[in-house]
Amino acid sequence: MPTVTNPLDAPLAPRAYRGPIMHSLSAEELRFLPNGGLLVNADGRVEACENWSTLQATGRLEGVEVLSLPPDALLVPGFVDMHVHLPQMEVAGCQEKNLLSWLEQHIFAAEARFTDANHAQNVSQWFFEELLRNGTTTAAVFLTSHDEATRIAFETAERLGNRVIMGQNLMDANAPAALVKPAEQLLQETEAQCRQWHGRDQGRLQYAWIPRFAITSTEELLAGIGELRRRYPDVYLHTHLSEQIPEIEAVKNLFPWAKDYTDVYEKFGLLGPRTILAHGIHLSDDELDRIQAAESSLAHCPSSNFFLKSGRFRLFEILRRKMRFGLGSDVGAGPELSMFKVMKDGQFMQTEALAPLNALFYAATLGGAKALFQDDRIGNFEPGKEADFLILDLRGKTCMALPNASQQDTVSALTVEGGSHALLSKLIYLGDERLVQSGFIRGRRVYQAGLIP
Ligand code: GUN
Ligand code: ZN
């Protein structure tokens, strides 16, 4: 294996970032510090996140380098994308009439190209750089069914500094020959990769078992994955669930004994903590009960659901239940990686009432971290967590920053008397990746746009 230079191994001097800071404390509570300080220690962890004056009074800033944010800048946690497909980058935005025909027309061919290691290398580099450029510091990623392309993806993420949960795509039925393998071979390959990658670099790289969805899995494969789950309880399971009506009908025909779609996964022991279920659009109350009781998580992918006309996620019900859930771009059914756009689509999808802005921002940060069982290490700026954050520049998108004539910088103008509602609202409705000035993972810079010196 080639030696990698891990950017997160770079030595770090303690540093304090001074300026406006916004982060979630819960789904309901947002903390906004107009003149805040984020103190990052030499381990790349949050030492403190307070009002600047409070931080100064503690004496902890002595001898610490201070970086003052320029006007119109804002510091926020790195985004968490709970569901995204690396091999679908090049076919994002290719319209097709429904999920199953879209898979057949565009997706399987794109994934089959990963037999070529050069192609896998090029797309992996592109994908992980793009995630960082979009401000996504943590992602739960679907790959292809190729052993070598899986290794290449892990090596690339390790080298670029991304925080990831990913694994080989496991399919042994109902897909083109180039993408299916016998269950036994898939189980052997995925276990070997898990042993190599799970927990690497202090847990920055984590492994997931990825049966694509029920339709491309035989019972033998699902049973084998259930067995792996029992043997490796801290490894993730990531799959799709109940996205579209024709898909659900096909599942009924393939698994006639199952009382519903969720039951297919349940019977094989695939539900539980660290199980990530993408979409969950058409779930009954009973299915939600069982998913919640199992402590499994839902990845809500509104942009994708719009694109494929999958239906409407039951956001208010999920919030009422306090289920573990976060947001996913689901590129390539979702057209773009930007979690700003995913938050906005999450809002637009709810046509009966307004989704609370705090809940959307939470879902893209701390909520996603909680749904991935990583809220002990990322998601907001609680002391002790690893410092994954973004410096946003509101001038990055011209219609966001107010004209200079306003005398004030935009963040202050939008947060008169410390209220953050207008600022958060602008971020969600108008924000995009052009705001992302730089990105940090575990206190180290992994991305810089170069707009601000
Ligand atoms: N269901 C099974 N595979 C896929 C996929 O690649 N994308 C989406 N959106 N749904 C799926
Ligand atoms: Zn998906």
Side-chain angles (χ1 to χ4, degrees):
M1 216 176 74
T3 344
V4 293
T5 6
N6 180 345
L8 304 197
D9 282 343
L12 195 68
R15 215 186 209 193
Y17 295 83
R18 178 181 185 177
I21 299 175
M22 182 186 270
H23 65 144
S24 288
L25 301 182
S26 69
E28 295 81 27
E29 204 182 341
L30 187 79
R31 187 155 192 228
F32 175 64
L33 303 167
N35 185 7
L38 176 72
L39 177 58
V40 178
N41 67 23
D43 292 332
R45 289 178 188 275
V46 176
E47 191 73 31
C49 180
E50 285 300 339
N51 284 317
W52 187 258
S53 54
T54 314
L55 196 55
Q56 236 172 357
T58 63
R60 286 153 107 177
L61 292 173
E62 250 151 67
V64 172
E65 181 196 0
V66 175
L67 191 141
S68 291
L69 302 192
D72 289 354
L74 172 69
L75 203 146
V76 296
F79 291 122
V80 177
D81 185 341
M82 274 189 74
H83 181 72
V84 56
H85 297 251
L86 175 151
Q88 297 179 13
M89 280 288 280
E90 30 157 21
V91 283
C94 294
Q95 183 175 307
E96 197 53 52
K97 73 174 189 300
N98 69 23
L99 166 64
L100 299 178
S101 60
W102 172 76
L103 289 174
E104 279 159 21
Q105 295 299 320
H106 298 289
I107 297 307
F108 288 146
E111 296 192 3
R113 287 196 277 280
F114 280 67
T115 314
D116 174 359
N118 265 335
H119 181 74
Q121 183 63 63
N122 291 339
V123 180
S124 295
Q125 180 79 23
W126 177 35
F127 175 78
F128 290 113
E129 283 179 354
E130 279 294 292
L131 278 178
L132 299 177
R133 194 173 70 80
N134 279 278
T136 297
T137 47
T138 298
V141 185
F142 264 56
L143 303 173
T144 62
S145 40
H146 307 93
D147 196 29
E148 192 181 12
T150 302
R151 174 180 59 75
I152 290 169
F154 269 106
E155 283 174 6
T156 309
E158 180 171 47
R159 179 165 44 77
L160 294 178
N162 305 65
R163 203 182 281 284
V164 293
I165 297 169
M166 58 189 183
Q168 184 176 356
N169 203 339
L170 310 175
M171 293 196 274
D172 71 337
N174 301 316
L179 293 173
V180 297
K181 290 179 186 172
E184 199 183 315
Q185 182 185 352
L186 288 170
L187 294 167
Q188 274 171 13
E189 288 176 357
T190 201
E191 183 177 0
Q193 291 156 5
C194 174
R195 285 170 167 276
Q196 180 167 10
W197 295 106
H198 187 63
R200 195 112 148 188
D201 191 19
Q202 302 169 47
R204 175 165 65 88
L205 309 179
Q206 307 252 357
Y207 200 79
W209 318 118
I210 307 194
R212 180 180 210 116
F213 63 160
I215 295 176
T216 48
S217 311
T218 63
E219 296 193 9
E220 183 193 352
L221 178 63
L222 296 174
I225 297 170
E227 178 56 28
L228 285 171
R229 243 184 102 70
R230 277 184 288 279
R231 287 173 39 220
Y232 299 87
D234 66 336
V235 173
Y236 291 83
L237 184 132
H238 192 175
T239 190
H240 295 95
L241 172 68
S242 203
E243 180 177 1
Q244 284 208 348
I245 302 297
E247 172 207 15
I248 296 167
E249 291 302 317
V251 172
K252 258 189 211 154
N253 291 330
L254 288 166
F255 302 89
W257 48 262
K259 68 173 172 180
D260 49 39
Y261 196 159
T262 302
D263 192 30
V264 177
Y265 297 144
E266 216 168 14
K267 277 285 187 320
F268 293 102
L270 306 189
L271 290 197
R274 293 174 187 249
T275 288
I276 307 162
L277 303 163
H279 305 297
I281 297 283
H282 304 280
L283 296 171
S284 65
D285 287 346
D286 186 52
E287 287 176 286
L288 287 179
D289 286 345
R290 282 143 52 208
I291 291 166
Q292 184 166 22
E295 287 191 85
S296 295
S297 306
L298 293 175
H300 172 31
C301 309
S303 312
S304 158
N305 302 154
F306 278 141
F307 181 78
L308 291 172
K309 302 279 184 277
S310 302
R312 186 183 310 157
F313 185 74
R314 300 172 66 191
L315 180 66
F316 291 101
E317 177 62 14
I318 304 303
L319 286 170
R320 189 191 65 74
R321 289 168 174 259
K322 297 195 184 300
M323 285 180 76
R324 289 180 191 264
F325 93 104
L327 294 173
S329 67
D330 196 24
V331 160
E336 297 189 68
L337 291 173
S338 173
M339 296 306 289
F340 286 107
K341 293 180 178 171
V342 176
M343 286 191 285
K344 180 176 71 176
D345 282 342
Q347 176 63 278
F348 285 164
M349 174 170 280
Q350 301 307 318
T351 52
E352 307 295 314
L354 283 167
L357 296 173
N358 286 352
L360 292 166
F361 186 72
Y362 168 82
T365 55
L366 182 62
K370 187 167 180 212
L372 297 177
F373 287 75
Q374 297 215 14
D375 51 321
D376 57 338
R377 60 165 76 199
I378 53 164
N380 67 3
F381 302 133
E382 250 173 69
K385 289 196 185 185
E386 298 184 33
D388 288 12
F389 60 96
L390 312 175
I391 297 176
L392 303 181
D393 172 15
L394 301 193
R395 293 177 188 172
K397 189 175 173 191
T398 48
C399 63
M400 275 203 78
L402 304 175
N404 292 337
S406 71
Q407 303 282 320
Q408 260 184 326
D409 88 312
T410 306
V411 173
S412 322
L414 290 174
T415 56
V416 184
E417 291 170 13
S420 56
H421 179 83
L423 176 60
L424 180 57
S425 187
K426 286 255 191 189
L427 283 177
I428 290 178
Y429 286 103
L430 297 179
D432 70 24
E433 71 282 7
R434 284 172 285 180
L435 305 190
V436 181
Q437 164 62 31
S438 47
F440 294 77
I441 294 181
R442 205 186 288 146
R444 276 85 169 178
R445 199 194 310 263
V446 288
Y447 171 72
Q448 178 161 26
L451 297 177
I452 298 174

